[in-house]
Amino acid sequence: KNGEFAVADMNALILSLFEKGKGALIAQDCALVHSVVDEITNKMTVPLIQGLIRYIYLARDENATPKEKAEGWAFAASILPRVAHCNPSAAETIRTAMEFSPSVQSTFEYNPEQVLKALQSTYACLGVTCAEVGSFVDGNSPQCADWLLSTTSMFAFYKGDTDVTEHGKIDRDVAKIDRLVEEGQFESAKALYKTGENSRK
């Protein structure tokens, strides 16, 4: 904008995670290194999901070109192994809809909302959120809300009108802080206390 370049929010987050991982390596905090690597892997999946969502709608269009269908299949294939690990049925739904080969006449006669729903059902397992992925702005794709997708966001058999899922994960941070203190990793425990990991609110 106006000749200036900005770093995408997700790229900025990933860069900050690399710095966090660097600090963990210097501190020889192996547990934190593994945690950061997992988080980086999760966040680097976000652009692939965004690309796939775009092509879920573009490839279905009657005017879609073979190039667009092939690009859609490329995005789908890039994340299908992770999706299949989370939910084999969801992966099959996506594969059936998006698979493309010049030698095979794919009909692309699928319901985009069903394919998108299958993909969104794996967000929590993939370690991404609706807010991070966003929505394909075309006036048709349904909005996404993590707490509505979650099957674990009920408390005492009650599902509220707002999302308190992240608040409910604070026990995980407390347990990790206890473990770090027991291991004598006081700086890591202090950092986790300040920023949170599972519950950042």
Side-chain angles (χ1 to χ4, degrees):
K1 184 179 181 180
N2 298 325
E4 298 180 358
F5 295 92
V7 178
D9 289 344
M10 187 51 58
N11 288 344
L13 174 58
I14 292 171
L15 289 173
S16 71
L17 288 172
F18 275 111
E19 288 298 319
K20 184 178 179 180
K22 176 182 175 182
L25 286 170
I26 293 173
Q28 298 183 352
D29 187 342
C30 294
L32 183 57
V33 169
H34 284 295
S35 175
V36 172
V37 169
D38 287 342
E39 193 169 0
I40 289 173
T41 300
N42 293 341
K43 302 315 175 190
M44 289 182 73
T45 304
V46 169
L48 302 177
I49 294 174
Q50 291 171 331
L52 175 55
I53 291 175
R54 179 170 183 264
Y55 284 100
I56 284 174
Y57 287 90
L58 290 183
R60 178 67 176 80
D61 190 279
E62 60 181 12
N63 296 316
T65 65
K67 176 178 179 292
E68 289 172 329
K69 294 177 180 179
E71 289 173 347
W73 174 230
F75 276 108
S78 70
I79 63 170
L80 273 178
R82 295 198 72 205
V83 172
H85 174 75
C86 294
N87 186 331
S89 177
E92 182 61 18
T93 296
I94 296 168
R95 186 199 64 77
T96 300
M98 303 302 296
E99 188 171 18
F100 176 78
S101 170
S103 61
V104 177
Q105 291 296 320
S106 303
T107 63
F108 283 84
E109 293 179 356
Y110 58 82
N111 183 323
E113 280 69 34
Q114 289 182 352
V115 180
L116 179 58
K117 185 177 180 180
L119 176 61
Q120 290 175 339
S121 73
T122 65
Y123 279 9
C125 177
L126 293 174
V128 304
T129 68
C130 292
E132 290 169 342
V133 174
S135 299
F136 180 42
V137 184
D138 67 341
N140 295 316
S141 58
Q143 296 299 305
C144 177
D146 299 295
W147 65 284
L148 290 175
L149 293 176
S150 174
T151 59
T152 59
S153 59
M154 294 185 67
F155 297 88
F157 303 102
Y158 172 75
K159 194 177 187 75
D161 292 331
T162 57
D163 180 14
V164 294
T165 306
E166 191 170 333
H167 295 290
K169 296 179 181 177
I170 193 170
D171 59 315
R172 302 180 189 180
D173 286 346
V174 172
K176 187 169 183 178
I177 289 172
D178 286 343
R179 187 178 75 252
L180 290 171
V181 170
E182 288 176 0
E183 295 173 352
Q185 300 184 44
F186 301 113
E187 288 303 313
S188 295
K190 183 178 179 181
L192 180 57
Y193 173 78
K194 285 184 176 180
T195 64
E197 184 175 277
N198 296 285
S199 179
R200 299 177 184 272
K201 294 184 177 180

